[in-house]
Amino acid sequence: MNQDKLQQQIKQLAAEKNALLIAHNYERDEIQEIADITGDSLALSIEAKNTDKQVIVFCGVHFMAESAAILAPDKIVVLPRADAGCPMADMVTADGLKTLKKQHPDATVVTYVNSSAAVKAESDICCTSSNAVSVARSVKAKKLLLVPDRNLGRYIASQVPEKECICWDGYCPTHDQLKVAEIKQAKAENPDALFMVHPECQPEILELADHICSTSGMYEFAAKTPAEKFIVGTENGILWRLRKENPTKQFIMPSQCLVCPDMKLTRLEDVLQCLETLEPRITVAEDIRIKAKQALDKMLAVPRD
Ligand code: 13P
Ligand code: SF4
């Protein structure tokens, strides 16, 4: 079946099943094209919580659909590809976190949403890349355990020098690969370009940035900044909307490595099948869900800076 036909069928079936199609900013172009909403992890969690629709088709990776299932237990949440995970989220387990907490009983655990429900359940508060600094500032404790991304952790630590920060040693295999030499070369070739970057990149990369932000933060920055050229320090799925919303501007990928294989797993055929069967369904055991929801709700209550 050709792409247009598949997209039409998906939209029709989504309407019949009262389903909301949501897609992360890194999904394939053809998936983002048919989504009711595209966004970063924070925006998508909020949409999942607030929608009146009965079914949420989450085109993204497992932890994102799990967050939707935690926040909206009365809805059916489906993830078109059950094998779409996040290697960084898998770098911390609830048992590992429990051990670290025992070593630092006076610390508050701030956990990036890129984590399992079981890890969130062991956490005091969650954060995303768009609110991480506000969340860290909102916490009263002087000592923070920042889990699981060491790069986001080090970025947060640089913004809250008044706190002691202990970072879990996890990382995103996609963002962590970006090299200083690649950014320097892209800048040398495009001296008039601004460099915007995701905080999952290494600190040496963030030092070279004009703007550090979440994926959705990049749409805002590109739209409101008069600059005509941008070097993009995040996964290449972001280009579709950047180019659509800013047709006269130029967006440059500094490296071939900025592809998340998990985000690219979902295809239109998977979305159609998932709508037909309402499987694979994402659920969370109620005891874990309640605790994980507390950490997410605390995050959602933090005002943005
Ligand atoms: P955002 O919250 O910025 O969308 O990032 C999610 C993610 O997985 C980045 O790699
Ligand atoms: Fe996880 Fe990195 Fe992929 Fe984001 S880009 S989902 S952090 S592996």
Side-chain angles (χ1 to χ4, degrees):
M1 201 186 305
N2 75 25
Q3 184 166 301
D4 289 352
K5 197 106 196 273
L6 259 173
Q7 286 179 319
Q8 259 176 32
Q9 278 203 10
I10 291 169
K11 292 301 275 179
Q12 198 178 327
L13 198 52
E16 282 167 26
K17 300 243 171 163
N18 195 22
L20 183 73
L21 293 176
I22 54 187
H24 187 265
N25 294 324
Y26 297 160
E27 288 289 303
R28 289 173 179 274
D29 295 359
E30 63 273 23
I31 302 284
Q32 293 195 48
E33 258 169 37
I34 51 156
D36 297 308
I37 297 153
T38 57
D40 64 9
S41 307
L42 177 62
L44 297 181
S45 300
I46 294 169
E47 291 293 345
K49 189 180 170 193
N50 294 342
T51 182
D52 295 335
K53 304 263 172 144
Q54 257 321 103
V55 176
I56 300 167
V57 179
F58 213 122
C59 301
V61 296
H62 189 269
F63 77 83
M64 297 178 176
E66 220 180 30
S67 292
I70 293 166
L71 291 169
D74 50 327
K75 313 249 162 74
I76 294 171
V77 179
V78 284
L79 178 69
R81 286 291 296 247
D83 52 346
C86 168
M88 172 162 63
D90 295 339
M91 290 179 191
V92 58
T93 61
D95 282 345
L97 180 53
K98 276 185 202 164
T99 305
L100 187 68
K101 279 166 61 174
K102 277 198 192 123
Q103 291 161 9
H104 303 279
D106 52 335
T108 291
V109 181
V110 180
T111 295
Y112 192 25
V113 288
N114 295 42
S115 54
S116 68
V119 166
K120 289 184 178 79
E122 284 299 322
S123 308
D124 296 299
I125 186 165
C126 288
C127 71
T128 74
S129 56
S130 62
N131 64 13
V133 175
S134 310
V135 166
R137 287 203 181 111
S138 78
V139 169
K140 287 205 180 76
K142 283 263 166 287
K143 194 176 189 182
L144 306 180
L145 301 184
L146 302 173
V147 181
D149 185 7
R150 64 183 180 210
N151 291 331
L152 180 68
R154 287 181 285 197
Y155 171 61
I156 296 171
S158 72
Q159 302 299 304
V160 290
E162 69 281 10
K163 297 195 192 280
E164 183 188 351
C165 295
I166 295 159
C167 301
W168 192 269
D169 197 25
Y171 60 91
C172 163
T174 300
H175 288 84
D176 198 65
Q177 279 184 69
L178 191 57
K179 306 258 181 319
V180 166
E182 292 171 321
I183 303 306
K184 288 196 170 157
Q185 190 182 338
K187 282 182 171 232
E189 287 166 7
N190 304 279
D192 50 340
L194 294 181
F195 176 40
M196 52 186 185
V197 69
H198 197 279
E200 287 177 15
C201 292
Q202 294 191 28
E204 302 75 36
I205 303 282
L206 302 191
E207 271 171 32
L208 301 172
D210 295 293
H211 190 55
I212 301 167
C213 58
S214 75
T215 52
S216 288
M218 293 190 190
Y219 300 127
E220 278 167 43
F221 184 67
K224 75 171 187 219
T225 310
E228 285 297 320
K229 252 188 190 185
F230 299 83
I231 300 165
V232 181
T234 197
E235 212 273 352
N236 73 5
I238 196 145
L239 291 175
W240 178 73
R241 227 178 100 188
L242 278 174
R243 288 180 174 150
K244 191 169 133 218
E245 291 175 1
N246 306 277
T248 62
K249 299 193 178 188
Q250 218 184 314
F251 298 96
I252 298 140
M253 292 308 290
S255 168
Q256 301 280 346
C257 76
L258 290 168
V259 181
C260 172
D262 285 270
M263 284 285 182
K264 299 299 185 245
L265 281 176
T266 308
R267 293 178 178 273
L268 290 170
E269 289 80 356
D270 302 310
V271 181
L272 184 60
Q273 197 186 356
C274 168
L275 270 165
E276 278 163 355
T277 60
L278 296 186
E279 296 285 348
R281 206 171 286 199
I282 303 300
T283 56
V284 180
E286 192 59 7
D287 53 336
I288 304 260
R289 190 190 72 78
I290 288 169
K291 288 199 220 156
K293 185 170 181 294
Q294 282 166 2
L296 282 170
D297 282 343
K298 276 194 204 150
M299 169 188 87
L300 293 173
V302 172
R304 298 273 298 272
D305 276 348

